[in-house]
Amino acid sequence: RSGSSTVEAAAMADLASLVRISIQGKHTPAQIAGIARASDAHLRSCWREIPRVMKEAFGPTPSASAAAWGGEHTIVQVFLLECLSWQTLDGDLVSYFVDAAGTFLTRADPAQCQIVPDKFTKVCRRFKEIHIASGRPARLAIKPIKAAIYKMQPKDITVPAPPGCSLLTPCHVDFLHMCLLGKYYGLAYRTLASSPRDEDGECLFPSIDPAKTSVTLRDFLLYCYYAGIVCIGCKALEHAKAFFL
């Protein structure tokens, strides 16, 4: 146990050591999450090293080395990406983050995402925001964000069903926002139309569980607002009224 404690202490004080314990596979995802949370302040103090360390561990180009992203490394990657996302990024760092986050959201392990829903949904939100700010086409962000919705869902929600899932997440809001920016009203409406329905066939709102998804009241209100606009764009006025009211 003393040897393990030494390794964990080193990981809390050294970025490369934190990544190393994920690669070695000797710790459970929950243990890695605990170590990463304990080292959160250190991560933020040395954030400039994050791209270099991630490139050395997971490949120089995320989209070209996609197999090294997500999966068993989901926990450590989500902490590093979340930390990086809140810094002032420019030039190559913006491109690296957008590529890395997009690849990560698509390949992340759902079980590990649900251990740290706050971190995972923040990465998704910042991916959307940085994607927009950098002037990239909205369509390029829709697939990763759509994939992120599934990561926060119970095991009985399966792909390839549309993401009108049982739990509302911040990722739903990001998905609708990007669809509106890209004017993909039909795609967004099909998502809403796939939501659970009551005995009379009326579309129901997804359930809300902040502890599991980190969804907030603001997320819920934005979801209703964006969904209402989508319904207007598809001339589904009765559905729009339900979301607005």
Side-chain angles (χ1 to χ4, degrees):
R1 176 59 190 170
S2 59
S4 177
S5 298
T6 301
V7 171
E8 293 174 9
M12 292 178 193
D14 178 67
L15 182 57
S17 296
L18 177 62
V19 174
R20 195 175 302 119
I21 67 169
S22 174
I23 294 174
Q24 289 174 342
K26 296 180 180 179
H27 292 70
T28 66
Q31 288 173 330
I32 296 173
I35 296 169
R37 284 198 187 279
S39 63
D40 205 45
H42 174 68
L43 290 180
R44 297 183 188 284
S45 70
C46 63
W47 70 269
R48 293 183 184 278
E49 298 179 27
I50 290 177
R52 175 185 60 78
V53 171
M54 294 189 84
K55 288 176 183 179
E56 291 175 354
F58 308 117
T61 307
S63 55
S65 54
W69 285 81
E72 62 185 346
H73 306 308
T74 293
I75 291 290
V76 72
Q77 288 174 354
V78 77
F79 272 88
L80 297 179
L81 288 172
E82 191 271 338
C83 177
L84 185 61
S85 73
W86 293 106
Q87 312 307 322
T88 302
L89 307 179
D90 53 27
D92 292 342
L93 279 181
V94 169
S95 297
Y96 178 78
F97 175 80
V98 170
D99 188 13
T103 303
F104 170 77
L105 292 174
T106 303
R107 299 186 60 86
D109 174 61
Q112 293 192 32
C113 293
Q114 292 172 34
I115 294 175
V116 287
D118 56 329
K119 297 290 184 180
F120 181 76
T121 54
K122 285 177 182 176
V123 168
C124 186
R125 178 63 48 85
R126 290 296 289 154
F127 169 72
K128 180 202 73 172
E129 293 172 347
I130 293 173
H131 192 98
I132 294 172
S134 64
R136 287 168 166 77
R139 61 182 174 79
L140 299 180
I142 288 176
K143 182 178 178 180
I145 295 174
K146 183 178 179 181
I149 293 174
Y150 291 109
K151 311 298 181 179
M152 303 306 299
Q153 300 302 317
K155 292 181 179 179
D156 58 339
I157 301 295
T158 57
V159 178
C165 301
S166 61
L167 279 180
L168 179 65
T169 73
C171 306
H172 281 85
V173 180
D174 298 329
F175 177 77
L176 292 181
H177 189 190
M178 294 307 293
C179 285
L180 287 171
L181 289 178
K183 298 183 179 180
Y184 296 105
Y185 296 100
L187 174 61
Y189 185 71
R190 287 193 295 275
T191 297
L192 299 176
S194 71
S195 297
R197 296 172 179 270
D198 65 16
E199 294 178 355
D200 297 322
E202 292 296 320
C203 189
L204 299 174
F205 288 96
S207 60
I208 298 175
D209 190 338
K212 290 184 178 180
T213 65
S214 291
V215 73
T216 65
L217 175 59
R218 185 174 187 273
D219 290 324
F220 174 72
L221 294 176
L222 281 173
Y223 175 78
C224 293
Y225 175 66
Y226 291 152
I229 296 176
V230 166
C231 291
I232 289 174
C234 292
K235 303 188 184 321
L237 301 186
E238 287 301 313
H239 279 171
K241 184 170 69 173
F243 282 112
F244 286 141
L245 297 179

